[in-house]
Amino acid sequence: MPLLAGWLLGAASAELAAGAATQTVTAVPVPAWLRRTPRVVAATALVSTALALSSGLGDGGEIVAWGVGALVTCVFVTATVQHVTRRGPLADTAHGVDLAARAHAVASLTTVGLVLAMLCLLHQVEQVQLALDGQTAVLAGTVGTGLALGVLFLAAALWGESAPGRRPRLVPFIAIVLVTASVAAVGFGVWRDRPPYGPEAVHPVATIRLTDREHFDADAAALGVSGVHANGERSVLGRFDLAVPQPATRGRFHIILLDKRYNRVAPQLYGRDGGGWGGNEMADAWKRYPWLSALAPTSHGDAGTTYPSVLAVSIEPDATSTAFVGRFARDGTPPPEPSDLLVALFFVGPRGQLYWAVQVPVTAG
């Protein structure tokens, strides 16, 4: 991009040095559609920016900045082309040679401007793609690569068909193929990432008891759970039930435990097979669900960013019940009551996509 931007600035400087603008417009022998190309690219930039912002994904400031970059490029190319058509003739140069030089300038300025503006829009695609997951993210990345190569073919076709009297054939064909293939690929990714069922089909129920080592076994028997053990003097013992549609479909479930009073996540949570982090698909769930703000990272300036310490319990796709034991940090705060707690249920797809997350109120057992 710096190379292309520098070339455009150098080309504009060369045209300014070639002669001052006059009131007479020279009939440069280039196709009319070529002069309209910057307007078409500018309109594409407006549509691309609007779509990227409406998606709610990526950094809005970056998206707008790259859109403005594409628009500025189009305006710059248009202004330079207008100067080319208005500047005085080259000194000691035959009229036909001067017209050929102008036609060449218009074609090269438009072609390089097209590539530079489209690269700006590809950075918008990258911003959105980084915020995606699952098959949609994979295919969006493929689309980005395909568009980058397609822009080069489009520029080559634009240059080849810019000769006087040539009619554009490859240019609209390549543009239509790029748009159609991109929409189809991303649409296919969205279709592949659709959840097989929503949270209303699962009917999750969370039941807990606040217990200690002395009463742990009795409380576990009262809840009808087994295979878990006491974790510290005071802990949260729970049973999680859900109605998984049969037969079990693709995906898996994770649960975490939250204290609503202080908007914090239980740093220790174990099931029958222990506990672990549910995966990167849960790390950014707070962006999609504001009620999961306890999972948001904390920025420490130059020292970096830290994520809250949290463990999740995984549930097999065909399991209808599991037991869990959780503990909160001993920081002097009063222990929670059952009404203070909330279980978050995550449904994650096989390709790392977060299908959905839902709040599961806790009841005392």
Side-chain angles (χ1 to χ4, degrees):
M1 292 189 70
L3 179 66
L4 294 174
W7 188 95
L8 277 178
L9 291 173
S13 299
E15 292 299 331
L16 288 173
T22 64
Q23 296 298 323
T24 304
V25 177
T26 303
V28 180
V30 295
W33 63 265
L34 182 64
R35 299 190 186 185
R36 301 191 193 102
T37 298
R39 301 179 207 169
V40 175
V41 177
T44 303
L46 290 174
V47 173
S48 173
T49 303
L51 290 176
L53 290 175
S54 64
S55 71
L57 302 173
D59 187 324
E62 290 255 0
I63 290 172
V64 171
W66 287 117
V68 170
L71 289 174
V72 169
T73 301
C74 294
V75 172
F76 183 82
V77 169
T78 301
T80 307
V81 168
Q82 286 181 348
H83 175 79
V84 170
T85 61
R86 292 180 180 274
R87 68 167 171 77
L90 295 173
D92 301 324
T93 304
H95 179 68
V97 175
D98 180 66
L99 288 181
R102 294 176 195 250
H104 177 85
V106 171
S108 57
L109 284 165
T110 305
T111 302
V112 175
L114 167 74
V115 176
L116 182 58
M118 295 304 292
L119 284 178
C120 290
L121 300 185
L122 285 176
H123 279 286
Q124 287 186 338
V125 174
E126 182 183 18
Q127 277 292 312
V128 175
Q129 186 261 336
L130 290 174
L132 297 172
D133 57 16
Q135 196 68 13
T136 305
V138 173
L139 289 176
T142 303
V143 164
T145 303
L147 286 176
L149 295 175
V151 167
L152 296 179
F153 283 107
L154 186 63
L158 187 75
W159 177 264
E161 296 179 349
S162 63
R166 293 288 299 274
R167 299 184 61 182
R169 293 182 174 86
L170 283 177
V171 170
F173 174 76
I174 294 175
I176 291 172
V177 169
L178 289 178
V179 172
T180 304
S182 300
V183 172
V186 175
F188 180 70
V190 172
W191 178 77
R192 289 289 301 270
D193 286 339
R194 74 194 191 286
Y197 45 79
E200 67 281 352
V202 179
H203 305 293
V205 177
T207 309
I208 69 162
R209 283 197 173 194
L210 304 179
T211 185
D212 52 29
R213 289 186 183 276
E214 182 180 355
H215 302 91
F216 187 89
D217 292 337
D219 287 330
L223 287 179
V225 298
S226 60
V228 289
H229 307 282
N231 181 19
E233 290 300 325
R234 292 187 60 83
S235 57
V236 177
L237 173 64
R239 171 175 174 159
F240 190 85
D241 298 281
L242 66 165
V244 178
Q246 296 297 326
T249 55
R250 64 185 188 276
R252 60 189 186 277
F253 294 102
H254 301 291
I255 59 173
I256 61 174
L257 184 65
L258 299 100
D259 186 343
K260 296 182 292 183
R261 298 172 304 168
Y262 307 105
N263 191 35
R264 62 180 180 178
V265 186
Q268 299 182 41
L269 191 69
Y270 305 96
R272 294 187 179 97
D273 298 320
W277 178 233
N280 292 333
E281 59 273 9
M282 293 172 56
D284 294 329
W286 58 275
K287 297 180 181 178
R288 184 170 163 186
Y289 299 98
W291 56 271
L292 284 172
S293 59
L295 295 177
T298 302
S299 176
H300 303 283
D302 295 338
T305 301
T306 59
Y307 282 83
S309 176
V310 55
L311 291 180
V313 171
S314 297
I315 306 175
E316 294 298 325
D318 55 351
T320 58
S321 179
T322 191
F324 61 88
V325 180
R327 284 189 65 195
F328 288 94
R330 300 180 62 181
D331 53 5
T333 58
E337 296 295 329
S339 58
D340 299 325
L341 300 177
L342 178 72
V343 171
L345 173 65
F346 299 84
F347 187 24
V348 177
R351 296 174 183 83
Q353 63 271 56
L354 177 62
Y355 283 145
W356 45 258
V358 67
Q359 304 179 55
V360 183
V362 168
T363 57

